[in-house]
Amino acid sequence: MATYDDPRILRAIAHPTRNRVLHELSAAGSLRAADVAQRTGIPANQASFHLRQLAKYGLVEVDPDAGRDKRDRVWRLTDDDITISPREMVQQPGGEAAYTVFQRSSVAWGHHLVDEAFKVSSEDDPAKRYVSESSLRLTSDEALQLQQELNQVVARYRDTGRQSSGEERDLYSVYQIVQPMPDLAGEPDPGAAT
């Protein structure tokens, strides 16, 4: 797992197209720019540009063993698990501004995912969307263990998807949040003095 605290990296992954490219690479393992273009619906030259930008910050690299020849550029993530350290990030020059941009982008994406998950359509396959929320009483160590176990399950399914050959698969989003229960939105903090 790679932990990043460089504000430039945060700005790079806050870009919606680059973020989608990272998701596609994570699911597939390695892809050519043409594959990225086809999967994201952007022109191949834009896919190449975004891949080079991500490579500039060390997030992706050319996979030398995956190409047909030396001219065939196949890209992969440098690390499957990208972790951001917000506390260290905001202490860097330009870090607070970069983190604000990243946070806005992430919140908007989270809202979009939830909106899509709850969308009702007669054409939907009910097996394609599953929303679950659970409340658990945990110690900090148990919460960390839960997060690690969930990550292991996701990694196992990611590896299965990468190893599948020829079988048609959709790109799924698995959005996890393990955190202490927040206060109710718009409600005063019950622990605060009145």
Side-chain angles (χ1 to χ4, degrees):
M1 176 178 6
T3 302
Y4 296 97
D5 63 2
D6 184 339
R8 295 172 301 167
I9 290 173
L10 208 54
R11 287 185 187 271
I13 63 175
H15 189 284
T17 302
R18 288 187 201 131
N19 198 288
R20 177 63 186 267
V21 169
L22 290 171
H23 284 285
E24 292 290 350
L25 285 170
S26 176
S30 59
L31 295 169
R32 291 170 180 79
D35 300 324
V36 169
Q38 187 263 330
R39 291 173 185 219
T40 60
I42 62 173
N45 64 340
Q46 283 184 23
S48 292
F49 170 77
H50 289 301
L51 285 162
R52 287 191 310 274
Q53 290 299 305
L54 292 167
K56 181 172 142 181
Y57 297 111
L59 296 166
V60 302
E61 64 189 1
V62 173
D63 184 351
D65 300 327
R68 293 180 291 250
D69 56 42
K70 293 196 184 261
R71 295 181 326 173
D72 187 24
R73 295 180 81 174
V74 180
W75 299 86
R76 66 180 177 202
L77 295 176
T78 56
D79 196 308
D80 279 326
D81 296 310
I82 297 171
T83 302
I84 304 300
S85 175
R87 181 171 290 133
E88 294 169 15
M89 181 70 65
V90 297
Q91 294 174 354
Q92 303 293 327
E96 195 165 340
Y99 187 72
T100 299
V101 169
F102 175 76
Q103 184 181 31
R104 279 191 201 131
S105 175
S106 295
V107 168
W109 181 246
H111 279 283
H112 177 66
L113 289 175
V114 172
D115 287 344
E116 287 296 310
F118 284 107
K119 191 181 283 184
V120 177
S121 169
S122 60
E123 300 168 10
D124 280 345
D125 176 355
K128 286 195 166 191
R129 293 184 182 164
Y130 181 76
V131 178
S132 174
E133 181 180 6
S134 302
S135 300
L136 309 170
R137 294 231 174 250
L138 304 170
T139 65
S140 293
D141 288 341
E142 290 169 337
L144 179 60
Q145 182 180 353
L146 173 62
Q147 177 187 350
Q148 291 168 343
E149 289 178 20
L150 290 171
N151 287 345
Q152 290 170 356
V153 170
V154 169
R156 190 174 74 237
Y157 276 90
R158 180 178 51 223
D159 292 343
T160 299
R162 286 178 178 177
Q163 295 167 7
S164 68
S165 58
E167 186 179 356
E168 185 64 31
R169 292 174 178 261
D170 294 325
L171 181 65
Y172 274 75
S173 174
V174 178
Y175 193 76
Q176 303 173 56
I177 299 174
V178 177
Q179 68 178 3
M181 182 66 79
D183 295 333
L184 294 173
E187 296 291 321
D189 181 354
T194 55

